[in-house]
Each structure stands twice: as structure tokens, then as C-alpha cells.
Amino acid sequence: MAGFRSLARQVRDPRNDLALRRYSLRKCLERFAPYGHRATWDHLCGMHRIGPEDRAPDPARLVAALDELEAARAVWLAYEVEFAQRRKREKHEGLRRPGSIDDWHRRTWGGFGVAWCDDPAVHPDGPMAEVLGRMISALRGAPGAACPACGGGLLVWKQDLAHEPWFGPVCSGCGILVPQPVLTSEALARAKSVRRGALVSVA
């Protein structure tokens, strides 16, 4: 099974026909897809003007989409290295039980669904590397009341999502499933109230 780097080389190789290069880009999303496979593909197609069903897209656009994906992957891989070093240090100091952020990280190992978007057509605007950078900053900081990806304040608690943890606060602006550890207990309570249909302030 080809890895991400091998697939990326196939996308860039001008000797390959466009159908193979497009297929290889889609296969890259099986290795790294921050919003989930379908939402990440929708994002890349929209950002780089690639027809979602176009079998022979402009090669420059394919490479630009790959560049964005690789930049986001570099941000995430750097975070995973930092995470592994921290956990090693904590275990050495006797802290064996991981915290809530670590539990969230376990579900997203490898970068799949880091900023899960249950609706493939609703995802953050802007480069994925920037979105992941904001997510990582939120994971490092104190819990807040807003979506770390877009800053939106209206979070809605949703059930029966298509990705573990299967439920949680979803940003009504950019569509991501917000990691619960980055939110205050008050923000989580407001999101649950919105789910129930109560009128609540999001200020």
C-alpha cells in the first residue's frame, strides 16, 4: 500500500496521465484528511477550482491542492512529534493516565478527522494549515467559548455523527466538530441547550 509521500510523487509526476494524478491525490486523503475524506476533497476542489468529478483536471491545480494538503500535514506531524515527546516525559514523571485532550488526540492519530466536518459541504474557509494551527493553539491554551477554527460562537450539540466520538458541539459557522477539551463547561452547556431548542445567548 502506497504511503502519502509516494502518492504525492505520483500527483507531481508529469509523466503520469491526469486521471492517475487525480486518483493519487484522492488516495492521499486516505492517509491525511483533516476534515474527513469527503469534506477535505470538497475543500480542495473549491479552493483550487477542480471539478469534483473532473477526470482530467488542470495539473497545476492538482499540484496546488497537494501543496495545501502537504502544508497542513506538516503542521499536524509537528504537533504529533510534540505530543509524543510530552507523553514520554509525562510517563517518565509517573503520569500514566492521559487527559481529555490526549483522549481526543487518540481518535485523530494520523490526522484523519482532526477538524471533522460531518456535512462534507460545510467546512472552514482558508488554508487548512492555518485552521490546524488555530486548532493546535486552542489545544495548548485554556478552554474558551468559541470555535477554535473560525472564532464562531454558535455551537450546536449534535448526535449520531459519522465519526467518533459520534456526538458533540458542532460549529454552525464552519461545520467542524469542536474538541470538547478546548471549550469551557459553560460553552458546552450552551451548545447542549441549543440542541434542545432553547433560546440561549451566545455572547
Side-chain angles (χ1 to χ4, degrees):
M1 183 183 291
F4 185 95
R5 291 179 186 175
S6 176
L7 291 165
R9 283 194 295 271
Q10 291 179 20
V11 176
R12 287 201 166 88
D13 191 340
R15 295 169 298 179
N16 292 332
D17 65 52
L18 288 174
L20 175 60
R21 295 173 72 179
R22 176 192 179 278
Y23 173 79
S24 298
L25 180 60
R26 287 297 301 260
K27 292 293 283 185
C28 283
L29 303 187
E30 294 179 7
R31 312 297 183 273
F32 179 74
Y35 305 151
H37 190 285
R38 293 171 60 207
T40 302
W41 179 245
D42 190 79
H43 167 83
L44 291 174
C45 287
M47 284 286 285
H48 302 284
R49 296 175 297 155
I50 298 169
E53 303 302 325
D54 186 355
R55 302 298 178 197
D58 182 334
R61 292 178 183 175
L62 281 177
V63 172
L66 176 63
D67 286 344
E68 180 182 354
L69 191 64
E70 285 181 322
R73 184 171 179 263
V75 169
W76 185 250
L77 290 178
Y79 172 71
E80 287 199 333
V81 168
E82 176 188 301
F83 173 87
Q85 290 173 342
R86 175 176 63 79
R87 283 299 297 141
K88 184 177 180 180
R89 191 168 55 249
E90 288 173 348
K91 287 178 181 178
H92 181 72
E93 294 169 356
L95 183 60
R96 295 284 172 179
R97 183 172 177 167
S100 59
I101 288 177
D102 300 333
D103 188 49
W104 171 83
H105 185 273
R106 174 187 58 78
R107 298 187 186 106
T108 60
W109 189 260
F112 185 83
V114 173
W116 176 260
C117 298
D118 211 55
D119 181 345
V122 181
H123 38 73
D125 295 327
M128 284 187 290
E130 293 180 8
V131 172
L132 292 190
R134 291 193 290 268
M135 291 281 290
I136 291 167
S137 293
L139 289 166
R140 291 176 179 144
C147 171
C150 71
L154 181 56
L155 305 175
V156 180
W157 192 270
K158 295 195 175 179
Q159 303 277 91
D160 302 320
L161 300 175
H163 178 67
E164 190 181 1
W166 318 120
F167 56 86
V170 174
C171 176
S172 63
C174 69
I176 74 159
L177 172 62
V178 179
Q180 294 185 46
V182 307
L183 296 172
T184 63
S185 56
E186 292 80 9
L188 287 169
R190 280 199 299 272
K192 290 175 182 177
S193 296
V194 173
R195 174 181 63 93
R196 290 193 298 270
L199 295 175
V200 295
S201 170
V202 294

